[in-house]
Structure formats: structure tokens, C-alpha cells
Amino acid sequence: EYVRCWPLSKPVLGHHVMAFGIGVCFIDLEVLPAPGKPISPVTVVFISNIGICWASDFFHVIYRLSSDIDVIKRMRKAYFCLAPIRLVNVALLLSAVILNGLNKNWVGMVFPLLMNIAYAYNTAQAIKFVWRFNIEQYFETHQAQWTVVTHVPSKVSSYSLSVAKERSTTPPGLRGDVFVDELAEQMRQNSQDDTRRV
């Protein structure tokens, strides 16, 4: 998870803990798949779909950093086009829970069940956020306030360190926005200072 998103919300943290737990079940405990059973097609399809979901998650980077509002809008459309795959993943995880239960693989049933609860909740929250997201309003209060800087100021590194000390007071999920806005403001001020010197 992106370091500036920490501390994570409880649902997101639960999702990551369960993902780690499933990895332990596969690699260390060897209870997934059930002993003597091959890896099910359900698991293969689910893991294959994760990469597609991660690709659509790039929308959260685009809307923060892109200076082209049309690019942001196109990326949101791409996100919605790929959203059904997220719902398919919820169904696949539920299928894995049922299959492990039928095979009496109780440990292999509990971890995917908890994972599915966290995954379904986070999926619903993510889709709802993107659906309600007002691109024009966000763009006007963020990217539209930035100015083009033709060079990288020498003070950026020290400024980044000073912001890092204050990140813990910013609500989770907004830290990337605040950091980018403040960095842009500092770069604008440095650019103005350089102009005055000239």
C-alpha cells in the first residue's frame, strides 16, 4: 500500500491482513488448495483478474496528478468498464469459500471468507467513491491552481521532508492530495522568487 496512505482504514487493513493470511495458507501451511487437490480454476481466474483491477486503480493516480481533465474523464470511464470484474472477483472468492467448505478444508474456508468480506466492502466503497467523484470541482480546486514551473527548485527536497513530518495529522486518503497541492504551491513561490531576482 502507498506509504502516505498509512495508517490504513480498518477495512483496507483487514483486506491486506487476509491477503497475507491466504499467502501463508498456500505457501507455509499448505492447506490451500486442500491436500491432494489441484489448484481450482476459480483460484486461477481470481488471481488473473487482480492485475486488471490494479490497472483500473490507476485512476486514483490520474485524477490527482493529470493536468488534462479529459484524460481524467476517460480514465474514469475505463474504471467503470472494468468494474464488473471486481464483482466477479467477489463471486469467485465466495465460490472458493463454498468449495473449501465442501472439501472440509476449514482453515482454507475461513481465510477466503474473511478476505471476501473485506474485499466486497472495499470494492463497494471504491466504486461508490468513483461514481460520486466530481471531476470538474476537484480539478478547479487542485490542478487549475497549479502553475507551470520550467525547472525543479533546489528547495523541493527539504520541503518534502518538512511535509513528511506533518502527514500524520492529515486524514487517510487525502494525504496524497495535500502533499501534491503543497508541493505545487512551494514550487510556485520558488519560481516567483527566482523571477524577482532576475
Side-chain angles (χ1 to χ4, degrees):
E1 191 71 39
Y2 190 46
V3 67
R4 293 196 182 97
C5 293
W6 286 79
L8 300 176
S9 64
K10 292 180 181 178
V12 176
L13 180 61
H15 167 81
H16 285 296
V17 170
M18 288 305 104
F20 178 78
I22 289 177
V24 171
C25 288
F26 268 104
I27 299 171
D28 294 323
L29 302 180
E30 296 183 351
V31 294
L32 284 176
K37 300 283 186 179
I39 295 178
S40 69
V42 170
T43 302
V44 174
V45 175
F46 172 77
I47 294 176
S48 300
N49 285 348
I50 290 176
I52 301 174
C53 294
W54 284 350
S56 65
D57 282 340
F58 198 62
F59 167 76
H60 297 283
V61 176
I62 294 295
Y63 87 74
R64 287 187 174 100
L65 299 179
S66 177
S67 59
D68 189 335
I69 192 170
D70 291 330
V71 171
I72 301 175
K73 291 179 178 179
R74 285 196 295 269
M75 191 61 200
R76 181 164 71 168
K77 289 180 181 178
Y79 185 96
F80 284 130
C81 288
L82 298 174
I85 295 177
R86 299 173 183 271
L87 304 180
V88 169
N89 278 352
V90 173
L92 289 172
L93 272 177
L94 184 58
S95 300
V97 172
I98 296 172
L99 289 174
N100 287 325
L102 293 175
N103 290 326
K104 297 182 179 180
N105 183 6
W106 308 121
V107 176
M109 183 185 74
V110 171
F111 275 94
L113 175 61
L114 297 176
M115 171 72 169
N116 200 25
I117 293 172
Y119 185 84
Y121 177 82
N122 290 324
T123 294
Q125 292 297 105
I127 293 175
K128 183 171 68 173
F129 168 80
V130 177
W131 178 263
R132 295 179 176 179
F133 183 68
N134 189 322
I135 294 177
E136 289 80 6
Q137 182 180 6
Y138 184 91
F139 193 89
E140 287 299 319
T141 56
H142 292 77
Q143 285 93 322
Q145 305 299 320
W146 304 348
T147 57
V148 177
V149 179
T150 56
H151 67 284
V152 178
S154 58
K155 298 180 182 179
V156 169
S157 298
S158 60
Y159 173 74
S160 300
L161 293 175
S162 67
V163 173
K165 297 176 183 177
E166 301 173 0
R167 277 183 206 135
S168 59
T169 63
T170 310
L174 297 178
R175 291 175 187 163
D177 298 353
V178 172
F179 175 72
V180 170
D181 288 342
E182 291 183 346
L183 183 58
E185 176 62 24
Q186 181 66 34
M187 293 173 70
R188 179 167 58 245
Q189 291 178 1
N190 289 345
S191 178
Q192 292 172 351
D193 293 342
D194 292 345
T195 302
R196 293 192 192 98
R197 294 191 191 101
V198 175

